[in-house]
Amino acid sequence: MMTEATKSATLNRDNWPIAAAMINFPGVLPDGGLVQDQTVEQWKQSLDLVVDAGFTELDPTDSWLRIADLSPERLRGFMALTQSLGLTIPAISTSRRSVIDPVHGDDYLAYNHRVIDTAAEIGAKAVCFGLFGPLTDAQKKELWFWTADGVKNPDDPAVYQKAVQRIRELGKHAEELGIEVSLEMYEDTYIGTADGAVKFVNDVDVPCVGINADIGNLVRLHRPVEHWLSMIEKIAPYLKYWHVKNYMRIEDKAKNIYLSHPTSMALGIINYRIAIQKAIDCGFKSAFLCEHYGGDGLSVCAMNRDYLRTILPK
């Protein structure tokens, strides 16, 4: 959460909000219990690690903890904890809670409305929604889940319009509360390509609704994908809250070989120095969220945060 002083100042490399994602902390504990049911002191054990990694911003990603489903008393306890640790919350991200899920879509629509209300209550300025479904059994068996096909948004105009209408409904709710909505790019969804994401946002047609340029989700795929720079050039005018991560990518088109693995932002195929400058030139001024899969993801996120500080404007 940006303070009033920060909001009134020009964003630069020293004060730009860069949050830690909680994807490196599972929502299901080794004993089968849920983070959702933990005590404040138990939450503190995880957040202490985030603080030790040097973060001052946090996104309580809902794969870890659904703060929008906490009781008022427990939400106050969570916020008191973050404040005591010097953490602020610029945004709340959701994961695999698509408003067009064929089974849970209605429930997820209601939940996403609660996320917006909770963001406004705690002073967060953005929420992130996606149209991607749950991991399939095949994906759960892979070392990297993105190497197996996942749930695809159907090629059905009626379902597409349902997605547009429901995101528009969420966008209008968010707009009333001064919250921005960022839609996460993800393969095989209506916002799974640059062209598709731009079309979808224009079809929604609510000013506070934009694109989460999480093109790391795309360059990691073991199949042909659009060049990262071409994607950025198309979506830069629409960018809101931005999940950032990077991958090494090897292509041998003649042999139909496409391989990837996670790496730090500075070393991967996406040149974030160029991508972020293009976004800023188009007026981007939202927070970043550092993500990483594999190894000590939290430490890599901290490295990525420090890298961002070197390429953001002085």
Side-chain angles (χ1 to χ4, degrees):
M1 179 177 61
M2 286 185 284
T3 66
E4 291 302 319
T6 302
K7 286 188 290 184
S8 63
T10 300
L11 287 175
N12 58 59
R13 62 180 56 176
D14 296 321
N15 62 18
W16 208 299
I18 304 174
M22 294 303 286
I23 60 173
N24 300 297
F25 297 83
V28 180
L29 303 167
D31 64 2
L34 301 177
V35 170
Q36 195 72 20
D37 300 325
Q38 285 187 311
T39 65
V40 172
E41 274 303 311
Q42 289 170 321
W43 291 334
K44 184 177 184 296
Q45 293 174 18
S46 296
L47 296 189
D48 277 341
L49 299 176
V50 173
V51 173
D52 286 346
F55 281 96
T56 55
E57 288 88 24
L58 166 77
D59 180 334
T61 321
D62 73 357
S63 58
W64 176 66
L65 177 66
R66 301 186 317 277
I67 67 169
D69 283 344
L70 295 175
S71 68
E73 180 181 3
R74 281 172 58 75
L75 179 59
R76 287 193 295 271
F78 178 78
M79 292 307 299
L81 170 63
T82 60
Q83 291 161 10
S84 72
L85 295 174
L87 291 167
T88 57
I89 300 176
I92 304 172
S93 292
T94 66
S95 177
R96 304 189 186 280
R97 289 177 169 80
S98 169
V99 295
I100 53 169
D101 183 280
V103 177
H104 303 291
D106 291 348
D107 291 337
Y108 291 158
L109 176 62
Y111 168 74
N112 289 342
H113 276 293
R114 295 197 299 276
V115 170
I116 293 169
D117 286 332
T118 302
E121 180 179 350
I122 67 173
K125 292 302 178 184
V127 294
C128 178
F129 302 136
L131 296 176
F132 48 106
L135 292 174
T136 65
D137 289 340
Q139 287 180 308
K140 293 175 183 177
K141 294 176 183 177
E142 296 293 334
L143 173 62
W144 304 121
F145 63 83
W146 54 85
T147 61
D149 286 341
V151 176
K152 296 176 172 60
N153 287 172
D155 184 14
D156 182 336
V159 179
Y160 179 87
Q161 286 303 318
K162 184 177 184 179
V164 168
Q165 291 164 4
R166 289 190 162 190
I167 295 298
R168 183 183 295 136
E169 176 186 325
L170 291 168
K172 289 181 176 178
H173 178 191
E175 192 170 48
E176 291 173 354
L177 299 175
I179 304 294
E180 71 176 29
V181 175
S182 190
L183 302 177
E184 182 173 354
M185 295 183 71
Y186 197 95
E187 75 268 16
D188 300 322
T189 70
Y190 299 138
I191 43 181
T193 64
D195 290 329
V198 169
K199 179 183 185 302
F200 190 88
V201 166
N202 281 322
D203 287 345
V204 170
D205 194 24
V206 177
C208 74
V209 177
I211 297 171
N212 172 1
D214 195 351
I215 59 174
N217 289 338
L218 305 179
V219 302
R220 70 189 179 190
L221 298 175
H222 288 194
R223 53 171 134 153
V225 295
E226 184 175 4
H227 192 280
W228 67 267
L229 182 55
S230 174
M231 288 192 280
I232 287 293
E233 288 175 337
K234 292 174 181 177
I235 63 180
Y238 303 90
L239 298 195
K240 303 290 188 185
Y241 184 51
W242 192 347
H243 293 184
V244 290
K245 56 181 177 282
N246 216 344
Y247 293 81
M248 291 297 295
R249 182 173 174 87
I250 297 173
E251 295 186 2
D252 187 335
K253 295 179 181 179
K255 297 180 180 178
N256 197 33
I257 294 173
Y258 302 91
L259 301 172
S260 69
H261 69 80
T263 189
S264 68
M265 285 178 65
L267 299 181
I269 189 68
I270 302 165
N271 185 333
Y272 275 99
R273 185 183 298 275
I274 293 174
I276 289 172
Q277 187 58 56
K278 285 185 176 293
I280 291 173
D281 288 346
C282 289
F284 176 76
K285 53 185 178 183
S286 301
F288 293 98
L289 175 71
C290 291
E291 295 185 317
H292 183 80
Y293 288 99
D296 183 357
L298 178 61
S299 291
V300 178
C301 286
M303 292 166 56
N304 288 341
R305 176 203 63 225
D306 294 345
Y307 163 72
L308 278 172
R309 297 286 181 209
T310 71
I311 63 173
L312 287 167
K314 292 183 180 179

